[in-house]
Amino acid sequence: MLPFLIRRTFGAALILVLISAFTFFMFFAIPQDPALLACGKNCTPDALEIIHKNLGLDQPVTVQYWNFLIGIFAGRDFAVGHCDAPCFGVSFANNQNVWDTIVDRFPLTISLTVGSLLVFLVVGLGAGMLAAKYRGTWVDKTFSSGSLVVSSMQIYFLGPLVLLGLVYSTGWLDKPKYVPFSEDLGGWFMGLLIPWVVMATIFTANYTRMSRSSMIEQLQEEHVKAARAKGMSGNFVFFRYAWRGSLIPIVTILGIDLSSLLSGGMVTELTFGLAGLGRLALDSVTDKDLPMLMGVMLVSAALIILFNLIVDALYAVIDPRVRLS
């Protein structure tokens, strides 16, 4: 396990460097000078020159990129002050520290991502297991048909409908908002409940179908039939042998879906007016704010890589035949 994690860590570091380099040099292909954003409407050549110096834009592009990488590990000195590590630079749009802004937005994004992940895993896997256990009955038909209907919906369509029905028309729930977990656990849960459910809906439908088909396939395996022939109870065989084996393909797909989950989080934030990393990334693109955009992209990529490492470790736990080392 340890050699595998070391190899994956070095690979992850290389991927992050490539992502940062691609984003950095693609940004400078844009003809507009980013310093103009910070200079304002009444910009003079002297003021523009000062901003270039303060933000380090007066140096060659390759030097700027190298300083950016060094700043992540050792911090950087700007004309406007020192930026402690990890330093992702200073925003072109508002002169704020990029890392501080990301740290401020990060709890909302991680709450939204992890919460919706737990919802669609619990509901999707549970519904798929019940559909497989009672295959051919009304339970199976209900979950299978429902998953087909739900999978056709999109966040930007379902979100406003849920808001109209549960918030504006009936007042049963408050409008989604983010309350820090440490301040009010109940407020945090209720504030993100609607975004969790809406964001998890599409994934729930997919995992219901995958869980059902994988479980049915496992129930036909020889080792499951042998366990039944030995006189083991149906529920014991179902959960001890079939359910564990059915998780293997699901865990594999989960690693791929994590990137979709983060991108779905951006749409969810825009739909419900939440200010997380997704909204920050969109604003950075609009403002041509390279430091902020690169910071968000690197943090998002690091999250995806971390989640995939966890998924790989879970894969080895579920399937003892896998030898990661």
Side-chain angles (χ1 to χ4, degrees):
M1 178 71 75
L2 183 59
F4 167 78
L5 292 177
I6 293 176
R7 291 197 304 269
R8 289 299 301 269
T9 300
F10 279 109
L14 177 60
I15 292 174
L16 292 176
V17 171
L18 293 176
I19 291 175
S20 65
F22 177 79
T23 306
F24 195 95
F25 291 105
M26 281 296 295
F27 180 87
F28 279 93
I30 300 175
Q32 184 176 358
D33 186 356
L36 292 174
L37 297 172
C39 193
K41 294 183 179 180
N42 300 321
C43 185
T44 63
D46 292 337
L48 189 63
E49 183 178 355
I50 293 175
I51 292 175
H52 273 99
K53 183 178 180 180
N54 290 342
L55 298 180
L57 298 175
D58 57 336
Q59 300 175 330
V61 176
T62 53
V63 175
Q64 293 182 46
Y65 178 67
W66 176 252
N67 290 336
F68 172 79
L69 292 180
I70 295 299
I72 295 178
F73 302 99
R76 289 180 63 183
D77 288 319
F78 292 91
V80 294
H82 179 72
C83 177
D84 295 327
C87 178
F88 289 90
V90 178
S91 170
F92 290 164
N94 52 30
N95 290 327
Q96 293 182 353
N97 187 293
V98 171
W99 178 249
D100 291 342
T101 305
I102 292 176
V103 170
D104 183 60
R105 302 286 189 96
F106 182 77
L108 168 58
T109 297
I110 198 66
S111 296
L112 191 62
T113 302
V114 175
S116 59
L117 173 67
L118 294 176
V119 170
F120 77 69
L121 283 180
V122 172
V123 178
L125 296 184
M129 288 170 55
L130 290 175
K133 185 175 179 62
Y134 299 102
R135 182 182 181 185
T137 65
W138 66 270
V139 176
D140 181 20
K141 295 177 181 178
T142 299
F143 284 128
S144 299
S145 301
S147 65
L148 290 175
V149 175
V150 172
S151 63
S152 63
M153 299 182 181
Q154 297 296 325
I155 296 174
Y156 53 80
F157 171 77
L158 184 60
L161 289 181
V162 175
L163 285 177
L164 179 63
L166 298 181
V167 178
Y168 300 120
S169 297
T170 62
W172 291 346
L173 294 174
D174 294 331
K175 185 178 179 181
K177 61 181 179 180
Y178 175 69
V179 178
F181 178 89
S182 58
E183 294 182 5
D184 184 3
L185 178 59
W188 170 80
F189 180 83
M190 296 304 299
L192 295 178
L193 180 59
I194 292 179
W196 282 341
V197 174
V198 171
M199 187 175 172
T201 297
I202 300 175
F203 293 96
T204 299
N206 293 335
Y207 279 79
T208 297
R209 296 198 303 271
M210 285 192 299
S211 177
R212 176 186 179 275
S213 61
S214 180
M215 180 64 75
I216 291 176
E217 181 180 349
Q218 285 296 313
L219 289 172
Q220 306 302 318
E221 292 290 337
E222 294 298 329
H223 68 281
V224 175
K225 294 180 179 179
R228 286 175 174 171
K230 292 179 180 179
M232 297 181 183
S233 66
N235 289 332
F236 180 82
V237 173
F238 187 86
F239 289 102
R240 176 63 177 83
Y241 293 99
W243 181 70
R244 183 174 181 178
S246 69
L247 291 179
I248 296 175
I250 293 174
V251 169
T252 304
I253 299 299
L254 178 62
I256 301 174
D257 284 343
L258 288 173
S259 58
S260 301
L261 190 63
L262 285 176
S263 61
M266 178 183 296
V267 179
T268 305
E269 290 175 14
L270 295 176
T271 302
F272 295 104
L274 300 173
L277 292 182
R279 183 62 178 268
L280 183 61
L282 183 62
D283 292 341
S284 301
V285 173
T286 303
D287 297 336
K288 299 181 177 63
D289 191 351
L290 172 63
M292 194 69 72
L293 178 61
M294 288 190 62
V296 173
M297 289 189 63
L298 288 177
V299 170
S300 300
L303 280 177
I304 294 175
I305 292 172
L306 175 62
F307 286 155
N308 276 275
L309 284 173
I310 296 175
V311 167
D312 289 337
L314 289 176
Y315 194 94
V317 172
I318 295 171
D319 189 356
R321 296 171 298 177
V322 176
R323 294 293 181 266
L324 298 179
S325 59

